[in-house]
Amino acid sequence: MTLAETIQDITRNHLENNNGLLFGQCVTAVGWIGGTVPDCKNIVEIPMTDVAGPGFAVGAALMNRRPIFVVRYQGFMWYNCSSLVNYAAKSKQVWGVPVPVFIRSIGMEGNGIGHTASSCLHSIFMHPPGLPVAVPMTPNEYREVWNYFLEHDDPIYVSEHRKSFTNSEEFEDEVYEDADITIIALSMGRMNALEAKKILNEKGIKANLFHQLWLKPFKPKKDMLKALNQTKLGLVVDSDFEITGASRSIAYELMHQTDASVHALGLEDRVCGVASHLENITPSPEKIATIVVELVSNVKRGHHSKV
Amino acid sequence: MRSATLGHIPNLPEKFGEEFALELFKRANFNRHFEYKVKEAAEKKLFTIPIYLSIGTEFNAAVFSMMLQGYKIFGQHRCHSIYLSFGGKPEALRDELLGLETGCSRGMSGSNAIQAPEANMFGHSGLMGEQVPIACGAAFASREPCLTICGDASVEEDYIYPSLGWAATEKLPMIFVCEDNDLSILTKVSVRRNWSPANVAASMGIPAVDIADDPWVIAYHLETMKENLPGFLNIRSVRHLWHAGTGVDDVPEWDRYQLTTAAMEKLGLKSKMSVIEDENKERAHAIWADCLED
């Protein structure tokens, strides 16, 4: 079963059997969002209102309908976010009234979709209190996140990536006793890090690889901390912007919890263009490999500065 | 266009009768005496948070609460009278203003974001107008009636127009109220826009009226609208005090409290109103006595 089929299955069960609701714009058109939306009851096609639309979902959550709110392009969260951050995330702490909305925020990149529709923006949603953030890339991870949502009463920000929808694999962390570096990868950074490892193997560099599902709360696995203490060198790779982003935030946390120098690699600090040579997307396997080679070389030379 | 008699319908006090008038007075009068105590407490600096007093608009809240029983309430700031009229606990509102754990939001919301679960009143986050789509979502999901109240400024927010459109499309059980005091802090409507919210709502097929804050006229329209929801009321109102705080900007355009009580006295209710007022004064005094006398 692919991730898209998994999302569709979870959604169908929620809408048909749990009295759930799904809100979104044009969700029943053009491929039904990559095949993730089932053809069943309780789907609400809302008008084109990226400002008021999330409020509809918040109101439904107040009525215990546990709505799924879908934003087709994660870049559109800039104007979808107000009621989600300012009401859903705050309500439990301010009024003791939970507002459980499952926010499906879908990242895309490449194919010339440009500076607004492209990219992932999960980092900004790590800032406000009351909003857990997850980045599932596999069927089982998605189920874990969904179960978390059902077992808790918080809203949850789920940063999806269209490129993962066809994935049916699960990923294991890869740890070696003699590794040179520990890579912690997020979102599409995980797929690219897997490819980067192949390049690094050919260059004689061994890298641990940890797949990180939860950005907030961020609870590093014991094996991750152990591996970082062993390699003394880490790199967090993400599909969001690097500056004040998830990659740097997690690197900071890990540096405080280990003896390792942990670096961050995300999107560059520039606007994404439409032409392929102007795009600003998840660091490629080649780029990740290049950075790792330089970091490892610097350490071997006794330098720990960022490349 | 703004006047105390906008949309006036003759003989409504007589039609609604004595019992209705006395209950209306009881609620509005308590709102006023409670707010006097809040003002006194603020002036004695028992708290220094921003406060949004509803003096001048007490009868709006009172008539909503009488006509819209069982509705879920999604208000905004300046909602003390809404809270009290619909049955929020006055002691919990007092404690909220004092920042106490026993406050209606445990001290988290202050004056402008109050809630009253016991009265089905939901909190407001502080983003003006945000309560309107949230109310629509609640009405859609529960199919139970909701009242949402915004002001003449927040009705200009981007949240509103699509919410009205969605409510019209889905025939949501909603009453929309724009409590129009003509001021966004101190900037008048005429400076900000040339359109009427009631016309916008009507253009979407929502029954809409633009009326003054005469409680009997409000009651008349609510009674009619409830039979064919959604409905929209733009209610020309007057706040007597500052946007936030206890000061006075100017002489009020009209004094709805005085106009309404005068009309009630014409119904021959003066002595009964006097008894009610004494009880309300005593009640408000008792609620605030400990902290004001310390």
Side-chain angles (χ1 to χ4, degrees), chain B residues 61-285:
Chain B
V63 74
F64 299 155
S65 69
M66 288 177 64
M67 300 303 296
L68 304 176
Q69 288 173 31
Y71 275 53
K72 299 181 196 314
I73 315 301
F74 294 84
Q76 205 175 262
H77 66 290
R78 208 176 316 287
C79 252
H80 294 182
S81 285
I82 294 287
Y83 173 101
L84 296 168
S85 294
F86 276 91
K89 294 173 188 161
E91 295 83 0
L93 177 53
R94 173 202 62 199
D95 290 356
E96 185 63 30
L97 300 176
L98 293 165
L100 302 177
E101 182 66 25
T102 45
C104 59
S105 304
R106 306 177 327 281
M108 288 292 284
S109 65
S111 167
N112 67 336
I114 52 178
Q115 65 161 353
E118 67 275 21
N120 267 331
M121 178 184 179
F122 293 82
H124 177 245
S125 77
L127 293 184
M128 299 299 109
E130 185 194 44
Q131 71 277 17
V132 176
I134 292 175
C136 288
F140 178 89
S142 68
R143 285 290 156 186
E144 291 174 358
C146 294
L147 163 68
T148 184
I149 305 155
C150 67
D152 59 271
S154 54
V155 80
E156 298 164 5
E157 291 282 2
D158 306 271
Y159 296 110
I160 311 300
Y161 155 76
S163 297
L164 292 171
W166 196 53
T169 304
E170 297 286 346
K171 296 276 181 209
L172 297 181
M174 296 277 310
I175 291 285
F176 297 91
V177 168
C178 174
E179 198 169 59
D180 177 353
N181 63 25
D182 196 35
L183 297 171
S184 175
I185 303 181
L186 278 177
T187 305
K188 286 183 176 293
V189 166
S190 59
V191 176
R192 308 192 315 263
R193 59 175 151 90
N194 64 356
W195 51 271
S196 137
N199 286 348
V200 170
S203 75
M204 293 178 170
I206 296 177
V209 293
D210 190 357
I211 55 177
D213 53 355
D214 179 328
W216 289 286
V217 174
I218 295 171
Y220 170 84
H221 286 293
L222 287 176
E223 199 167 49
T224 310
M225 282 179 177
K226 281 198 302 185
E227 301 305 314
N228 183 30
L229 296 174
F232 183 99
L233 297 93
N234 191 76
I235 300 175
R236 310 288 181 134
S237 308
V238 181
R239 67 163 157 80
H240 288 203
L241 303 180
W242 282 344
H243 166 68
T246 62
V248 176
D249 291 316
D250 210 338
V251 177
E253 284 175 277
W254 63 82
D255 185 340
R256 177 57 58 194
Y257 187 86
Q258 189 277 324
L259 291 169
T260 306
T261 51
M264 288 173 171
E265 286 173 14
K266 276 190 186 169
L267 294 175
L269 302 175
K270 189 170 183 179
S271 61
K272 289 181 179 173
M273 289 163 62
S274 178
V275 172
I276 291 170
E277 176 146 36
D278 287 345
E279 288 170 358
N280 279 338
K281 265 189 191 172
E282 180 54 37
R283 185 178 170 214
H285 175 79

